Amino acid sequence: MRDRLKERLSANPTLRSQHANTASWVPPEPPDLVIFPETAEEVAFVVSVCGELGVPIIPFGAGTSVEGQVNAPFGGVCLDMTRMNRVLRIGARDLDCTVEPGITRKALNLALRDQGLFFPIDPGADATLGGMASTRASGTNAVRYGTMKDNVLALEAVMPDGRIIRTANRARKTATGYDLTRLLVGAEGTLGIITKLTLRLHGIPEAIAVARCHFPSIEAACDAAIASIQFGLPLARMELMDALTVGAINAYSDTGLPEQPILLVEFHGSPASVAEQLKNFEEIVSDYGATDLVSVDAPEECNKLWQARHDAWWAALRMRPGCLAYTTDVCVPLSRLSECVSLAGAEAQRLGLLAPTVGHVGDGNFHMLVLLDPDSTSEKKLGLDFASWLANLAMSMDGTCTGEHGIGQGKQDALRRELGDSTEYMSAIKVALDPLGIMNPGKIF
């Protein structure tokens, strides 16, 4: 491989450590080699060589996944896809585009802006599109625009035997055989390596407005969110932050927000429709004790509010300097959201855990960031036990152990508890496509 790839193959220890898990509690496990492919043919070449020798392959994008998806528990080769970062085609009339997997969402939207188009999935981090597809990312816009599974029309991928396949064409719907596109979306690199994506695009809205309001309790904020959805408001984003998170953001960014639970909501449409949506939203949330409702429509002011939300991770880390951050997410039916968030907060408080809460509450998904002492074995166990308890709570409400973080190394037991014998069929697919077990082994199963 060195003969063909030359300086794009490295065993440098620092580079290898940078390509292990760094974004959560899962201990980092670096690969033996890091390779930077530039074409699908190079990816196929590496996969073929590794297949002959039984060497594991771990695809890597921006490294922002939080359940150990980029770790190399059995060593092997890390394929850093970030040099495959081109926009290959923009179909403005068809509202789609084709890109390589290493392009980030911000870079893609910068390339689309002159066409009056944008790609809506925003997981918070500036992740690569290949990584976002592999982990079935969603984020703040999911309440209106769906998740990655709804916005990937087709894929090109290198399979474990080294063949390059195309899962679909550009048609908006198809009835041709098994849906391999959605099989690979969310597979966390365990079935193949994505080398090209065809994505659904949307027109940039004529008008955008962001509103924020505060509530006397987390239950009131959740109930207001649910009422807004049930009313049929066409919300683009709806984000919850609890009082702990708001306090952390105030300290981190000097935002000066009242330290109460807060909803951030974004509306898209024409100026008249956005104004009507804001009016309806104010009327709905006032029934739940909302106060200090403020709306902005200047792009810089909207971005400032959303930046505060995106800074929640870093702000929370400042609450306990030197802490270990264990972030976990669950998703429940909207009718159980208020109850689930309330019970989770009460349990964290009972255990003495500092656990700020944020959520994409428009679709019943929320996250808790548990701050732990890295030198305390008992604290770390307490945090993991709490996450397991929370997953069980969500499942008892007909929800899921993870709405968007994926399984990786961290939630394998929870997957089995949630889906039972279904996981045996997943394992059978894995073995059928990857009999040597070289594709990101040790993840999901």
Coordinates of all heavy atoms in Angstrom, one line a residue, residues 45-83:
F45 N -8.9 -0.4 -3.4 CA -7.6 -1.0 -3.3 C -7.2 -1.4 -1.9 O -6.8 -2.5 -1.6 CB -6.6 -0.1 -4.0 CG -5.1 -0.4 -3.6 CD1 -4.6 -1.6 -4.1 CD2 -4.4 0.4 -2.8 CE1 -3.2 -1.9 -3.8 CE2 -3.1 0.1 -2.5 CZ -2.5 -1.1 -3.0
V46 N -7.4 -0.4 -1.0 CA -7.1 -0.7 0.4 C -8.0 -1.8 1.0 O -7.5 -2.7 1.7 CB -7.2 0.6 1.2 CG1 -7.1 0.4 2.7 CG2 -6.2 1.7 0.8
V47 N -9.3 -1.7 0.7 CA -10.2 -2.7 1.2 C -9.8 -4.1 0.7 O -9.8 -5.1 1.4 CB -11.6 -2.4 0.8 CG1 -12.6 -3.6 1.1 CG2 -12.1 -1.2 1.5
S48 N -9.4 -4.2 -0.6 CA -9.0 -5.5 -1.1 C -7.8 -6.1 -0.5 O -7.7 -7.3 -0.1 CB -8.8 -5.4 -2.6 OG -9.9 -5.0 -3.3
V49 N -6.8 -5.2 -0.2 CA -5.5 -5.6 0.4 C -5.8 -6.1 1.9 O -5.4 -7.1 2.3 CB -4.5 -4.5 0.4 CG1 -3.3 -4.9 1.3 CG2 -4.0 -4.2 -1.0
C50 N -6.6 -5.3 2.6 CA -7.0 -5.6 4.0 C -7.8 -6.9 4.0 O -7.7 -7.7 5.0 CB -7.7 -4.4 4.6 SG -6.7 -3.0 5.0
G51 N -8.7 -7.1 3.0 CA -9.5 -8.3 3.0 C -8.6 -9.5 2.8 O -8.9 -10.6 3.5
E52 N -7.6 -9.4 2.0 CA -6.7 -10.6 1.8 C -6.0 -11.0 3.1 O -5.7 -12.1 3.4 CB -5.7 -10.3 0.7 CG -6.2 -10.2 -0.7 CD -5.2 -9.8 -1.7 OE1 -4.0 -9.8 -1.4 OE2 -5.5 -9.4 -2.8
L53 N -5.7 -10.0 3.9 CA -4.9 -10.2 5.1 C -5.7 -10.2 6.4 O -5.2 -10.4 7.5 CB -3.8 -9.1 5.3 CG -2.8 -9.0 4.1 CD1 -2.0 -7.7 4.3 CD2 -2.0 -10.2 4.0
G54 N -7.0 -10.0 6.3 CA -7.9 -10.0 7.5 C -7.7 -8.8 8.4 O -7.8 -8.9 9.6
V55 N -7.3 -7.7 7.8 CA -7.0 -6.5 8.6 C -8.2 -5.6 8.8 O -8.8 -5.2 7.8 CB -5.8 -5.7 8.0 CG1 -5.6 -4.4 8.7 CG2 -4.6 -6.5 7.9
P56 N -8.6 -5.2 10.0 CA -9.7 -4.3 10.2 C -9.6 -2.9 9.5 O -8.5 -2.4 9.3 CB -9.8 -4.1 11.7 CG -9.1 -5.3 12.2 CD -8.0 -5.6 11.3
I57 N -10.7 -2.4 9.1 CA -10.7 -1.0 8.4 C -11.7 -0.2 9.2 O -12.9 -0.6 9.4 CB -11.2 -1.2 6.9 CG1 -10.3 -2.1 6.2 CG2 -11.2 0.2 6.3 CD1 -10.8 -2.5 4.8
I58 N -11.3 1.0 9.5 CA -12.2 1.9 10.3 C -12.3 3.2 9.5 O -11.3 4.0 9.4 CB -11.6 2.2 11.7 CG1 -11.4 0.9 12.5 CG2 -12.6 3.2 12.4 CD1 -10.0 0.4 12.4
P59 N -13.5 3.6 8.9 CA -13.6 4.8 8.2 C -13.7 6.0 9.2 O -14.2 5.9 10.3 CB -14.9 4.7 7.5 CG -15.7 3.6 8.2 CD -14.7 2.7 8.9
F60 N -13.2 7.2 8.8 CA -13.1 8.3 9.7 C -13.4 9.6 8.9 O -13.0 9.8 7.8 CB -11.6 8.4 10.2 CG -11.4 9.5 11.3 CD1 -11.4 9.2 12.6 CD2 -11.2 10.8 10.9 CE1 -11.2 10.2 13.6 CE2 -10.9 11.8 11.9 CZ -11.0 11.5 13.2
G61 N -14.3 10.4 9.6 CA -14.6 11.7 9.0 C -14.1 12.8 9.8 O -12.9 13.2 9.7
A62 N -14.9 13.5 10.6 CA -14.5 14.6 11.4 C -14.2 14.1 12.9 O -13.7 14.8 13.7 CB -15.5 15.7 11.5
G63 N -14.5 12.8 13.2 CA -14.3 12.3 14.5 C -15.2 12.8 15.6 O -14.8 12.8 16.8
T64 N -16.4 13.3 15.3 CA -17.3 13.9 16.3 C -18.3 12.9 16.8 O -19.1 13.3 17.7 CB -18.0 15.1 15.7 OG1 -18.7 14.7 14.5 CG2 -17.0 16.2 15.3
S65 N -18.3 11.6 16.4 CA -19.2 10.7 17.0 C -18.9 10.4 18.4 O -17.7 10.5 18.8 CB -19.2 9.4 16.2 OG -17.9 8.8 16.1
V66 N -19.9 10.0 19.2 CA -19.6 10.0 20.7 C -19.8 8.6 21.3 O -19.7 8.5 22.5 CB -20.6 11.0 21.4 CG1 -20.4 12.4 20.9 CG2 -22.1 10.6 21.2
E67 N -20.0 7.6 20.5 CA -20.1 6.3 21.1 C -19.0 5.3 20.7 O -19.2 4.1 20.6 CB -21.5 5.7 20.8 CG -22.7 6.3 21.4 CD -22.8 6.2 22.9 OE1 -22.0 5.3 23.5 OE2 -23.6 6.8 23.6
G68 N -17.8 5.9 20.4 CA -16.7 5.1 20.0 C -16.6 4.5 18.6 O -15.9 3.6 18.3
Q69 N -17.4 5.1 17.7 CA -17.5 4.6 16.4 C -16.2 4.6 15.6 O -16.0 3.8 14.7 CB -18.6 5.3 15.5 CG -20.0 4.9 15.9 CD -20.7 5.8 16.9 OE1 -20.0 6.5 17.6 NE2 -22.0 5.8 17.0
V70 N -15.3 5.5 15.9 CA -14.0 5.6 15.2 C -12.9 4.9 15.9 O -11.7 5.0 15.4 CB -13.7 7.1 14.9 CG1 -14.7 7.7 14.0 CG2 -13.5 7.9 16.2
N71 N -13.1 4.2 17.0 CA -12.1 3.5 17.7 C -11.6 2.3 16.9 O -12.4 1.8 16.0 CB -12.6 3.0 19.0 CG -12.1 4.0 20.1 OD1 -11.2 4.8 20.0 ND2 -12.7 3.8 21.3
A72 N -10.4 1.8 17.2 CA -9.9 0.6 16.5 C -9.6 -0.5 17.6 O -8.4 -0.7 17.9 CB -8.6 0.9 15.7
P73 N -10.6 -1.1 18.1 CA -10.4 -2.1 19.2 C -9.5 -3.2 18.9 O -8.9 -3.9 19.8 CB -11.8 -2.5 19.6 CG -12.6 -2.3 18.4 CD -12.0 -1.1 17.8
F74 N -9.4 -3.6 17.6 CA -8.5 -4.7 17.1 C -7.4 -4.2 16.2 O -6.8 -4.9 15.5 CB -9.4 -5.7 16.3 CG -10.6 -6.2 17.1 CD1 -11.8 -5.7 16.8 CD2 -10.5 -7.0 18.2 CE1 -13.0 -6.1 17.5 CE2 -11.6 -7.4 18.9 CZ -12.8 -7.0 18.6
G75 N -7.0 -2.9 16.4 CA -6.0 -2.3 15.5 C -6.5 -2.2 14.1 O -7.7 -2.2 13.8
G76 N -5.6 -2.1 13.1 CA -6.0 -2.0 11.7 C -5.7 -0.7 11.1 O -4.9 0.1 11.6
V77 N -6.5 -0.5 10.0 CA -6.2 0.7 9.1 C -7.4 1.7 9.3 O -8.6 1.3 9.1 CB -6.1 0.3 7.7 CG1 -6.1 1.5 6.7 CG2 -4.9 -0.6 7.5
C78 N -7.1 2.9 9.6 CA -8.1 4.0 9.6 C -8.0 4.7 8.2 O -7.0 5.1 7.8 CB -7.7 5.0 10.7 SG -8.8 6.5 10.7
L79 N -9.2 4.7 7.6 CA -9.3 5.4 6.3 C -9.9 6.8 6.6 O -11.1 7.0 6.8 CB -10.3 4.7 5.4 CG -9.6 3.5 4.6 CD1 -10.7 2.9 3.7 CD2 -8.5 4.0 3.7
D80 N -9.0 7.8 6.6 CA -9.5 9.2 6.8 C -10.0 9.7 5.4 O -9.2 9.9 4.5 CB -8.3 10.1 7.3 CG -8.7 11.5 7.6 OD1 -9.5 12.1 6.8 OD2 -8.3 12.0 8.6
M81 N -11.3 10.0 5.3 CA -11.9 10.3 4.1 C -12.0 11.8 3.8 O -12.6 12.2 2.8 CB -13.4 9.8 4.1 CG -13.5 8.3 4.4 SD -12.7 7.3 3.2 CE -13.9 7.4 1.9
T82 N -11.3 12.6 4.6 CA -11.5 14.1 4.4 C -10.9 14.7 3.2 O -11.2 15.8 2.8 CB -10.9 14.8 5.7 OG1 -9.5 14.4 5.9 CG2 -11.7 14.5 6.9
R83 N -10.0 14.0 2.5 CA -9.5 14.5 1.2 C -10.4 14.2 0.0 O -10.3 14.8 -1.0 CB -8.1 13.9 0.9 CG -7.0 14.3 1.9 CD -5.6 14.0 1.4 NE -4.6 14.2 2.4 CZ -3.3 14.2 2.2 NH1 -2.9 14.0 1.0 NH2 -2.5 14.5 3.2

